[in-house]
Amino acid sequence: MKFVSKEPVDKGWSGDKKYCVTDTKGEKFLLRVSPAEQYERKKSEYELICRVAALGVPMCRPLEFGRSDEGVYLIQTWIDGVDAEENLHKLTGEAQYSYGLEAGRILKEIHKIPAPEGIEDWESYFNRKADRKIRMYEECPIKYENGQAFIDYINAHRRLLSGRPRTYQHGDYHVGNMMIGRDKKLYIIDFDRNDFGDPWEEFNRIVWCAQAAPLFAAGMVDGYFNNAVPMEFWKLLALYISSNTLSSVPWAIPFGDEQVKIMINQAEDILGWYDNMKNPVPAWYSNLAR
């Protein structure tokens, strides 16, 4: 492909360099460039997002992958639209819930891709991950008010990890990685944290959705489960959210006080929604009329 212009795209936490590039016909594309040493990982990522695109998932569709002077490149279709996170609050409650339903249905499609044969048992994998996050929190100089509630919940519910399946995961599925196109459709972006895990763990970022638009978050769960949400899901999700929240402050410290403050406020919200981790069904779901 030949491009006549190249504008940097600064949004997102990805380590990739991102550009909006334009070809000789005036058509826009997304160009992602990664360090050359990441070739094998990025090749695997490219092959997987090709499988996701083949399912009909609305996304930046992969077009071309290879090496260049700058490193490893990936060219994808460009989505003309707005960030969902910054625009959901402008919509009616009905529209927010409707987009949430769509996000849940899309996620169900993504999870149709199975994990590779011989992958580690989920229970042993996640217990190790949870232990690491508990340790990170305990060694962190900054603590949440009643952060122990997260640790206690994890330890009391580890048995729920037994027998859980592993599928392909987007890896960072929340409103910050979604767009609303000019065609009013919902699009999913930034698959660069993809992984294989319990499909229900994918909801651990739903806290960002619930903070931005509770009706969207509720719709996402209802859409995924076709309005029949099992209690087992809520109990496991509370465990996954507890684990994620414990490592959020240690993660945020290198990024400065503002990020630390965001994570402390988020932990406060979570403890409020879950009544200090005593009720596995969060208030943003149980209290909403929809």
Side-chain angles (χ1 to χ4, degrees), residues 22-103:
T22 309
D23 69 7
T24 51
K25 296 175 187 169
E27 194 171 346
K28 291 179 180 177
F29 299 88
L30 175 65
L31 169 66
R32 299 182 76 114
V33 180
S34 314
E37 60 270 19
Q38 291 185 16
Y39 179 81
E40 289 304 326
R41 186 167 75 82
K42 290 295 176 181
K43 182 169 180 280
S44 169
E45 185 184 304
Y46 170 71
E47 288 165 356
L48 284 162
I49 61 172
C50 284
R51 291 177 69 182
V52 176
L55 293 170
V57 168
M59 60 190 284
C60 298
R61 286 181 291 103
L63 299 172
E64 192 179 307
F65 170 81
R67 300 181 199 263
S68 70
D69 294 342
E70 289 185 65
V72 183
Y73 73 88
L74 168 62
I75 299 169
Q76 296 170 275
T77 54
W78 179 262
I79 296 164
D80 206 3
V82 295
D83 295 335
E85 188 172 29
E86 293 167 18
N87 289 275
L88 274 174
H89 69 280
K90 301 174 187 174
L91 306 176
T92 65
E94 187 182 355
Q96 290 175 23
Y97 182 71
S98 180
Y99 276 122
L101 285 173
E102 188 58 21

Coordinates of all heavy atoms in Angstrom, one line a residue, residues 22-103:
T22 N -3.3 7.9 5.0 CA -4.2 8.1 3.8 C -3.5 7.6 2.5 O -2.3 8.0 2.3 CB -4.6 9.6 3.7 OG1 -5.0 10.0 5.0 CG2 -5.7 9.8 2.7
D23 N -4.3 6.9 1.7 CA -3.7 6.4 0.5 C -3.9 7.4 -0.7 O -4.5 8.5 -0.4 CB -4.2 5.0 0.1 CG -5.7 5.0 -0.3 OD1 -6.3 6.1 -0.4 OD2 -6.2 3.9 -0.5
T24 N -3.5 7.1 -1.9 CA -3.6 8.0 -3.0 C -5.1 8.3 -3.4 O -5.3 9.3 -4.1 CB -2.9 7.4 -4.2 OG1 -3.3 6.1 -4.4 CG2 -1.4 7.4 -4.0
K25 N -6.0 7.5 -3.0 CA -7.4 7.7 -3.3 C -8.1 8.5 -2.2 O -9.3 8.7 -2.2 CB -8.1 6.4 -3.5 CG -7.6 5.5 -4.7 CD -8.3 4.2 -4.7 CE -7.7 3.3 -5.7 NZ -8.2 1.9 -5.6
G26 N -7.4 8.9 -1.1 CA -8.0 9.6 0.0 C -8.6 8.7 1.0 O -9.3 9.2 1.9
E27 N -8.4 7.4 0.9 CA -9.0 6.5 1.9 C -8.1 6.4 3.1 O -6.8 6.3 3.0 CB -9.2 5.1 1.3 CG -10.1 4.2 2.1 CD -10.5 2.9 1.4 OE1 -10.3 2.8 0.2 OE2 -11.0 2.0 2.1
K28 N -8.7 6.4 4.3 CA -7.9 6.3 5.6 C -7.7 4.9 6.1 O -8.6 4.1 5.9 CB -8.6 7.1 6.7 CG -8.6 8.6 6.5 CD -9.3 9.3 7.6 CE -9.3 10.8 7.4 NZ -10.1 11.5 8.5
F29 N -6.6 4.6 6.7 CA -6.3 3.3 7.3 C -5.6 3.6 8.7 O -5.1 4.7 8.9 CB -5.4 2.5 6.5 CG -6.0 2.2 5.1 CD1 -5.8 3.1 4.0 CD2 -6.7 1.0 4.9 CE1 -6.3 2.8 2.8 CE2 -7.2 0.8 3.6 CZ -7.0 1.7 2.6
L30 N -5.6 2.6 9.5 CA -4.9 2.6 10.8 C -3.6 1.8 10.6 O -3.6 0.7 10.2 CB -5.8 2.0 11.9 CG -5.0 1.9 13.3 CD1 -4.7 3.3 13.9 CD2 -5.9 1.1 14.3
L31 N -2.5 2.5 10.9 CA -1.2 1.8 10.9 C -0.7 1.7 12.3 O -0.6 2.7 13.0 CB -0.2 2.7 10.0 CG 1.3 2.3 10.1 CD1 1.5 0.9 9.4 CD2 2.1 3.3 9.4
R32 N -0.3 0.5 12.7 CA 0.3 0.2 14.0 C 1.7 -0.3 13.8 O 1.9 -1.2 13.0 CB -0.5 -0.8 14.8 CG -1.9 -0.5 15.1 CD -2.6 -1.6 15.9 NE -2.1 -1.5 17.3 CZ -3.0 -1.2 18.3 NH1 -4.2 -1.0 18.1 NH2 -2.5 -1.2 19.6
V33 N 2.7 0.3 14.5 CA 4.1 -0.1 14.4 C 4.6 -0.5 15.7 O 4.5 0.2 16.7 CB 4.9 1.0 13.8 CG1 6.4 0.6 13.7 CG2 4.4 1.5 12.5
S34 N 5.2 -1.7 15.8 CA 5.7 -2.3 17.0 C 7.2 -2.5 16.8 O 7.7 -2.6 15.7 CB 5.0 -3.6 17.4 OG 3.6 -3.5 17.2
P35 N 8.0 -2.6 18.0 CA 9.4 -2.9 17.9 C 9.7 -4.2 17.1 O 8.9 -5.2 17.2 CB 9.9 -3.0 19.3 CG 8.9 -2.2 20.1 CD 7.6 -2.4 19.4
A36 N 10.8 -4.3 16.4 CA 11.1 -5.4 15.5 C 11.2 -6.7 16.3 O 10.8 -7.8 15.8 CB 12.4 -5.2 14.8
E37 N 11.6 -6.6 17.6 CA 11.8 -7.9 18.4 C 10.5 -8.5 18.8 O 10.4 -9.6 19.3 CB 12.6 -7.6 19.6 CG 12.1 -6.6 20.6 CD 12.6 -5.2 20.3 OE1 13.0 -4.9 19.2 OE2 12.5 -4.3 21.2
Q38 N 9.4 -7.8 18.5 CA 8.0 -8.3 18.9 C 7.4 -9.1 17.7 O 6.2 -9.4 17.8 CB 7.1 -7.2 19.4 CG 7.5 -6.6 20.7 CD 6.5 -5.6 21.2 OE1 5.4 -5.5 20.7 NE2 6.9 -4.8 22.1
Y39 N 8.2 -9.4 16.7 CA 7.6 -9.9 15.5 C 6.8 -11.2 15.7 O 5.6 -11.3 15.3 CB 8.7 -10.3 14.5 CG 8.2 -10.9 13.2 CD1 7.7 -10.1 12.2 CD2 8.2 -12.3 13.0 CE1 7.1 -10.7 11.0 CE2 7.6 -12.9 11.9 CZ 7.1 -12.1 10.9 OH 6.6 -12.6 9.7
E40 N 7.3 -12.2 16.4 CA 6.5 -13.4 16.6 C 5.2 -13.2 17.4 O 4.2 -13.7 17.1 CB 7.4 -14.4 17.4 CG 8.5 -15.0 16.5 CD 8.1 -15.6 15.2 OE1 7.0 -16.2 15.2 OE2 8.8 -15.5 14.2
R41 N 5.3 -12.4 18.5 CA 4.1 -12.1 19.2 C 3.1 -11.3 18.4 O 1.9 -11.6 18.4 CB 4.5 -11.2 20.5 CG 3.3 -11.0 21.4 CD 3.7 -10.5 22.8 NE 4.1 -9.1 22.7 CZ 3.3 -8.0 22.8 NH1 2.0 -8.3 22.8 NH2 3.7 -6.8 22.8
K42 N 3.5 -10.4 17.6 CA 2.6 -9.6 16.8 C 2.0 -10.4 15.6 O 0.9 -10.2 15.2 CB 3.3 -8.3 16.2 CG 3.6 -7.3 17.3 CD 2.3 -6.7 17.9 CE 2.5 -5.8 19.0 NZ 1.2 -5.3 19.6
K43 N 2.8 -11.4 15.1 CA 2.4 -12.3 14.1 C 1.2 -13.1 14.6 O 0.2 -13.3 14.0 CB 3.5 -13.2 13.6 CG 3.1 -14.1 12.4 CD 4.4 -14.7 11.8 CE 4.1 -15.7 10.7 NZ 3.6 -17.0 11.2
S44 N 1.4 -13.7 15.8 CA 0.3 -14.5 16.5 C -0.9 -13.6 16.7 O -2.0 -14.0 16.5 CB 0.9 -15.0 17.8 OG -0.1 -15.6 18.6
E45 N -0.7 -12.4 17.2 CA -1.8 -11.4 17.4 C -2.6 -11.2 16.1 O -3.8 -11.2 16.1 CB -1.2 -10.1 18.0 CG -2.3 -9.1 18.4 CD -1.6 -7.8 18.8 OE1 -0.7 -7.9 19.7 OE2 -1.9 -6.8 18.2
Y46 N -1.8 -11.0 15.0 CA -2.4 -10.7 13.7 C -3.3 -11.9 13.3 O -4.4 -11.7 12.8 CB -1.3 -10.4 12.7 CG -1.8 -10.4 11.2 CD1 -2.6 -9.3 10.8 CD2 -1.5 -11.4 10.3 CE1 -3.0 -9.3 9.5 CE2 -1.9 -11.3 9.0 CZ -2.7 -10.3 8.6 OH -3.1 -10.2 7.3
E47 N -2.7 -13.1 13.4 CA -3.5 -14.3 13.0 C -4.8 -14.5 13.8 O -5.8 -14.8 13.2 CB -2.6 -15.5 13.2 CG -1.5 -15.6 12.1 CD -0.4 -16.6 12.5 OE1 -0.4 -17.2 13.6 OE2 0.5 -16.8 11.6
L48 N -4.7 -14.1 15.1 CA -5.9 -14.2 15.9 C -7.0 -13.2 15.5 O -8.1 -13.5 15.5 CB -5.5 -14.1 17.4 CG -4.9 -15.4 17.9 CD1 -4.1 -15.1 19.2 CD2 -5.9 -16.5 18.2
I49 N -6.5 -11.9 15.3 CA -7.5 -10.9 15.0 C -8.1 -11.2 13.6 O -9.3 -10.8 13.3 CB -7.0 -9.5 15.1 CG1 -5.9 -9.1 14.2 CG2 -6.8 -9.1 16.6 CD1 -5.5 -7.6 14.2
C50 N -7.4 -11.9 12.7 CA -8.0 -12.3 11.4 C -9.1 -13.3 11.7 O -10.2 -13.2 11.0 CB -6.9 -13.0 10.6 SG -5.8 -11.8 9.8
R51 N -8.9 -14.1 12.7 CA -10.0 -15.1 13.1 C -11.2 -14.4 13.7 O -12.4 -14.7 13.4 CB -9.5 -16.1 14.0 CG -8.5 -17.1 13.4 CD -7.9 -18.1 14.4 NE -8.9 -19.0 14.9 CZ -8.7 -20.0 15.8 NH1 -7.5 -20.1 16.4 NH2 -9.6 -20.8 16.2
V52 N -10.9 -13.3 14.5 CA -12.0 -12.5 15.1 C -12.8 -11.8 14.0 O -14.0 -11.8 13.9 CB -11.5 -11.5 16.1 CG1 -12.6 -10.6 16.6 CG2 -10.8 -12.2 17.2
A53 N -12.1 -11.2 13.0 CA -12.7 -10.5 11.9 C -13.6 -11.4 11.1 O -14.7 -11.0 10.6 CB -11.7 -9.8 11.0
A54 N -13.1 -12.7 10.9 CA -13.9 -13.7 10.1 C -15.2 -14.0 10.8 O -16.1 -14.5 10.1 CB -13.0 -14.9 10.0
L55 N -15.3 -13.8 12.1 CA -16.6 -14.0 12.8 C -17.6 -12.9 12.5 O -18.8 -13.0 13.0 CB -16.4 -14.1 14.3 CG -15.5 -15.3 14.8 CD1 -15.2 -15.2 16.3 CD2 -16.3 -16.6 14.5
G56 N -17.2 -11.8 11.9 CA -18.1 -10.7 11.6 C -18.1 -9.7 12.7 O -19.0 -8.8 12.7
V57 N -17.1 -9.7 13.6 CA -17.0 -8.7 14.7 C -16.8 -7.3 14.1 O -15.8 -7.2 13.3 CB -16.0 -9.1 15.7 CG1 -15.7 -8.0 16.7 CG2 -16.4 -10.4 16.4
P58 N -17.5 -6.3 14.5 CA -17.3 -5.0 14.0 C -16.0 -4.4 14.6 O -15.9 -4.2 15.8 CB -18.5 -4.2 14.4 CG -19.1 -5.0 15.5 CD -18.7 -6.4 15.3
M59 N -15.0 -4.2 13.8 CA -13.7 -3.8 14.4 C -12.8 -3.2 13.3 O -13.3 -3.1 12.1 CB -13.0 -5.1 14.9 CG -12.8 -6.1 13.8 SD -12.2 -7.8 14.4 CE -10.5 -7.4 14.7
C60 N -11.6 -2.7 13.6 CA -10.6 -2.3 12.6 C -10.1 -3.6 12.0 O -9.3 -4.3 12.5 CB -9.4 -1.6 13.3 SG -9.9 -0.1 14.1
R61 N -10.6 -3.9 10.8 CA -10.3 -5.2 10.2 C -8.8 -5.3 9.7 O -8.3 -4.3 9.1 CB -11.2 -5.5 9.0 CG -12.6 -5.9 9.5 CD -13.5 -6.2 8.3 NE -13.9 -5.1 7.5 CZ -13.4 -4.8 6.4 NH1 -12.5 -5.5 5.8 NH2 -13.7 -3.7 5.7
P62 N -8.1 -6.4 10.0 CA -6.7 -6.5 9.6 C -6.6 -6.6 8.1 O -7.3 -7.4 7.4 CB -6.2 -7.7 10.3 CG -7.4 -8.5 10.5 CD -8.6 -7.6 10.7
L63 N -5.6 -5.9 7.5 CA -5.5 -5.9 6.0 C -4.1 -6.4 5.6 O -3.9 -7.1 4.6 CB -5.7 -4.5 5.4 CG -7.1 -3.9 5.6 CD1 -7.1 -2.5 5.1 CD2 -8.1 -4.7 4.9
E64 N -3.0 -6.0 6.3 CA -1.7 -6.3 5.9 C -0.8 -6.3 7.1 O -0.9 -5.5 8.0 CB -1.2 -5.3 4.9 CG 0.1 -5.6 4.2 CD 0.5 -4.6 3.2 OE1 -0.4 -4.2 2.3 OE2 1.6 -4.1 3.2
F65 N 0.2 -7.3 7.2 CA 1.1 -7.4 8.3 C 2.5 -7.7 7.7 O 2.6 -8.4 6.7 CB 0.7 -8.5 9.2 CG 1.7 -8.9 10.3 CD1 1.8 -8.2 11.4 CD2 2.5 -10.0 10.1 CE1 2.7 -8.5 12.4 CE2 3.5 -10.4 11.0 CZ 3.5 -9.6 12.2
G66 N 3.5 -7.2 8.4 CA 4.9 -7.5 7.9 C 6.0 -6.7 8.6 O 5.7 -6.1 9.7
R67 N 7.2 -6.7 8.1 CA 8.3 -6.0 8.6 C 8.6 -4.7 7.8 O 8.3 -4.8 6.6 CB 9.6 -6.9 8.6 CG 9.5 -8.1 9.4 CD 10.8 -8.9 9.3 NE 10.8 -10.3 9.7 CZ 11.1 -10.8 10.8 NH1 11.5 -10.0 11.8 NH2 11.1 -12.1 11.0
S68 N 9.1 -3.7 8.5 CA 9.5 -2.5 7.7 C 10.7 -1.9 8.4 O 11.2 -2.5 9.4 CB 8.3 -1.5 7.8 OG 8.2 -0.9 9.1
D69 N 11.2 -0.8 7.9 CA 12.4 -0.2 8.5 C 12.1 0.2 10.0 O 13.0 0.3 10.8 CB 12.8 1.1 7.7 CG 13.3 0.7 6.3 OD1 13.6 -0.5 6.1 OD2 13.4 1.5 5.4
E70 N 10.8 0.6 10.2 CA 10.5 1.0 11.6 C 10.3 -0.1 12.6 O 10.3 0.1 13.8 CB 9.2 1.9 11.5 CG 9.4 3.2 10.9 CD 8.1 4.1 10.9 OE1 7.7 4.4 12.1 OE2 7.5 4.3 9.9
G71 N 10.0 -1.3 12.1 CA 9.7 -2.4 13.0 C 8.7 -3.4 12.4 O 8.8 -3.7 11.2
V72 N 7.7 -3.8 13.2 CA 6.7 -4.7 12.7 C 5.4 -3.8 12.5 O 5.1 -3.0 13.3 CB 6.4 -5.8 13.7 CG1 5.3 -6.7 13.2 CG2 7.6 -6.5 14.1
Y73 N 4.8 -3.9 11.3 CA 3.7 -3.1 11.0 C 2.4 -3.9 10.8 O 2.4 -5.1 10.4 CB 3.9 -2.2 9.8 CG 3.9 -2.9 8.5 CD1 2.7 -3.0 7.8 CD2 5.0 -3.4 7.9 CE1 2.6 -3.7 6.6 CE2 5.0 -4.1 6.7 CZ 3.8 -4.2 6.0 OH 3.7 -4.9 4.8
L74 N 1.3 -3.3 11.1 CA -0.1 -3.9 10.9 C -0.9 -2.7 10.3 O -1.0 -1.7 10.9 CB -0.7 -4.4 12.2 CG -2.2 -4.8 12.2 CD1 -2.4 -5.9 11.2 CD2 -2.6 -5.2 13.5
I75 N -1.6 -3.0 9.2 CA -2.5 -2.0 8.6 C -3.9 -2.6 8.7 O -4.2 -3.7 8.4 CB -2.2 -1.8 7.1 CG1 -0.7 -1.2 6.9 CG2 -3.2 -0.9 6.4 CD1 -0.3 -1.2 5.5
Q76 N -4.8 -1.7 9.2 CA -6.2 -2.1 9.5 C -7.1 -1.0 8.9 O -6.7 0.1 8.6 CB -6.4 -2.2 11.0 CG -5.7 -3.3 11.7 CD -5.8 -3.2 13.2 OE1 -5.0 -2.5 13.8 NE2 -6.7 -4.0 13.7
T77 N -8.4 -1.4 8.7 CA -9.3 -0.4 8.3 C -9.5 0.7 9.3 O -9.3 0.4 10.5 CB -10.7 -1.1 8.0 OG1 -11.1 -1.8 9.2 CG2 -10.6 -2.0 6.8
W78 N -9.9 1.8 8.9 CA -10.1 3.0 9.8 C -11.6 3.1 10.1 O -12.4 2.9 9.3 CB -9.6 4.3 9.1 CG -9.8 5.5 9.9 CD1 -10.8 6.4 9.8 CD2 -8.9 6.0 10.9 NE1 -10.6 7.4 10.7 CE2 -9.4 7.2 11.4 CE3 -7.7 5.5 11.4 CZ2 -8.8 7.9 12.4 CZ3 -7.1 6.2 12.4 CH2 -7.6 7.4 12.9
I79 N -11.8 3.4 11.4 CA -13.2 3.6 11.8 C -13.5 5.1 12.0 O -12.8 5.7 12.8 CB -13.5 2.9 13.2 CG1 -13.4 1.3 13.0 CG2 -14.9 3.2 13.7 CD1 -13.3 0.6 14.3
D80 N -14.4 5.5 11.2 CA -14.8 7.0 11.3 C -15.9 7.1 12.3 O -17.0 6.6 12.1 CB -15.3 7.4 9.9 CG -15.1 8.9 9.7 OD1 -14.5 9.6 10.6 OD2 -15.5 9.4 8.6
G81 N -15.6 7.7 13.4 CA -16.6 7.8 14.5 C -16.0 8.5 15.7 O -15.1 9.2 15.6
V82 N -16.7 8.2 16.9 CA -16.3 8.9 18.1 C -16.1 7.8 19.2 O -16.6 6.7 19.1 CB -17.4 9.9 18.6 CG1 -17.6 11.0 17.6 CG2 -18.7 9.2 18.8
D83 N -15.3 8.2 20.2 CA -15.0 7.3 21.3 C -16.3 7.0 22.1 O -17.0 8.0 22.5 CB -14.0 7.9 22.3 CG -12.6 8.1 21.6 OD1 -12.4 7.3 20.7 OD2 -11.8 8.9 22.1
A84 N -16.6 5.8 22.4 CA -17.8 5.5 23.1 C -17.8 6.0 24.5 O -18.7 6.6 25.0 CB -18.0 3.9 23.2
E85 N -16.6 5.9 25.2 CA -16.5 6.4 26.6 C -16.8 7.8 26.8 O -17.5 8.2 27.7 CB -15.0 6.1 27.1 CG -14.8 6.3 28.5 CD -13.5 5.9 29.0 OE1 -12.5 5.9 28.2 OE2 -13.3 5.5 30.1
E86 N -16.4 8.6 25.8 CA -16.7 10.1 25.9 C -18.0 10.5 25.4 O -18.4 11.7 25.6 CB -15.6 10.8 25.1 CG -14.2 10.7 25.7 CD -13.1 11.1 24.8 OE1 -13.4 11.9 23.8 OE2 -11.9 10.7 25.0
N87 N -18.8 9.6 24.8 CA -20.0 10.0 24.2 C -21.3 9.3 24.7 O -22.4 9.8 24.4 CB -19.9 9.9 22.7 CG -19.0 10.9 22.1 OD1 -19.4 12.1 21.8 ND2 -17.7 10.6 21.9
L88 N -21.1 8.2 25.4 CA -22.3 7.5 25.9 C -23.2 8.3 26.8 O -24.4 8.2 26.7 CB -21.8 6.2 26.7 CG -21.5 5.0 25.9 CD1 -21.0 3.9 26.8 CD2 -22.8 4.4 25.2
H89 N -22.6 9.1 27.6 CA -23.4 9.9 28.6 C -24.3 10.9 27.8 O -25.3 11.4 28.4 CB -22.5 10.7 29.6 CG -21.7 11.8 29.0 ND1 -20.6 11.6 28.3 CD2 -22.0 13.1 28.9 CE1 -20.1 12.7 27.9 NE2 -20.9 13.7 28.3
K90 N -24.1 11.2 26.6 CA -24.9 12.1 25.8 C -26.1 11.5 25.2 O -27.0 12.1 24.7 CB -24.1 12.7 24.6 CG -22.8 13.5 25.1 CD -22.0 13.9 23.8 CE -20.7 14.5 24.2 NZ -19.9 14.8 23.0
L91 N -26.2 10.1 25.3 CA -27.3 9.4 24.7 C -28.4 9.1 25.7 O -28.2 9.2 26.9 CB -26.8 8.0 24.2 CG -25.6 8.1 23.2 CD1 -25.1 6.7 22.9 CD2 -25.9 8.9 22.0
T92 N -29.6 8.8 25.2 CA -30.7 8.4 26.1 C -30.3 7.1 26.9 O -29.5 6.3 26.4 CB -32.0 8.2 25.3 OG1 -31.8 7.0 24.5 CG2 -32.3 9.4 24.5
G93 N -31.0 6.9 28.0 CA -30.8 5.6 28.7 C -31.1 4.4 27.9 O -30.3 3.4 27.9
E94 N -32.1 4.5 27.0 CA -32.5 3.4 26.2 C -31.3 3.1 25.2 O -31.0 1.9 24.9 CB -33.7 3.8 25.4 CG -34.3 2.6 24.6 CD -35.6 3.0 23.8 OE1 -36.0 4.2 24.0 OE2 -36.1 2.2 23.0
A95 N -30.7 4.1 24.6 CA -29.6 4.0 23.6 C -28.4 3.4 24.3 O -27.7 2.5 23.8 CB -29.3 5.3 23.0
Q96 N -28.1 3.8 25.5 CA -27.0 3.3 26.3 C -27.1 1.8 26.5 O -26.2 1.0 26.3 CB -26.8 4.0 27.6 CG -26.4 5.5 27.6 CD -26.4 6.2 28.9 OE1 -26.3 5.5 30.0 NE2 -26.5 7.5 28.9
Y97 N -28.3 1.4 27.0 CA -28.6 0.0 27.2 C -28.5 -0.8 25.9 O -28.0 -1.9 25.9 CB -30.0 -0.1 27.9 CG -30.3 -1.6 28.2 CD1 -29.7 -2.2 29.3 CD2 -31.3 -2.3 27.5 CE1 -30.0 -3.5 29.6 CE2 -31.6 -3.6 27.9 CZ -31.0 -4.2 28.9 OH -31.3 -5.5 29.2
S98 N -29.0 -0.2 24.9 CA -29.0 -0.9 23.6 C -27.6 -1.2 23.1 O -27.2 -2.3 22.6 CB -29.8 -0.1 22.6 OG -29.8 -0.7 21.3
Y99 N -26.7 -0.2 23.2 CA -25.3 -0.3 22.9 C -24.6 -1.4 23.8 O -23.8 -2.2 23.3 CB -24.5 1.0 22.9 CG -24.6 1.8 21.7 CD1 -25.1 3.1 21.7 CD2 -24.2 1.3 20.5 CE1 -25.3 3.9 20.6 CE2 -24.3 2.1 19.3 CZ -24.8 3.4 19.4 OH -25.0 4.1 18.2
G100 N -25.0 -1.4 25.1 CA -24.5 -2.4 26.0 C -24.9 -3.8 25.6 O -24.1 -4.7 25.6
L101 N -26.2 -4.0 25.2 CA -26.6 -5.3 24.7 C -25.7 -5.7 23.5 O -25.3 -6.9 23.4 CB -28.1 -5.2 24.2 CG -29.2 -5.2 25.3 CD1 -30.5 -4.9 24.6 CD2 -29.2 -6.5 26.1
E102 N -25.5 -4.8 22.6 CA -24.6 -5.1 21.4 C -23.2 -5.5 21.8 O -22.6 -6.5 21.3 CB -24.6 -3.9 20.5 CG -24.0 -4.2 19.1 CD -24.6 -5.3 18.3 OE1 -25.8 -5.7 18.6 OE2 -23.9 -5.9 17.5
A103 N -22.7 -4.8 22.8 CA -21.3 -5.1 23.3 C -21.2 -6.5 23.9 O -20.3 -7.2 23.7 CB -20.9 -4.0 24.3

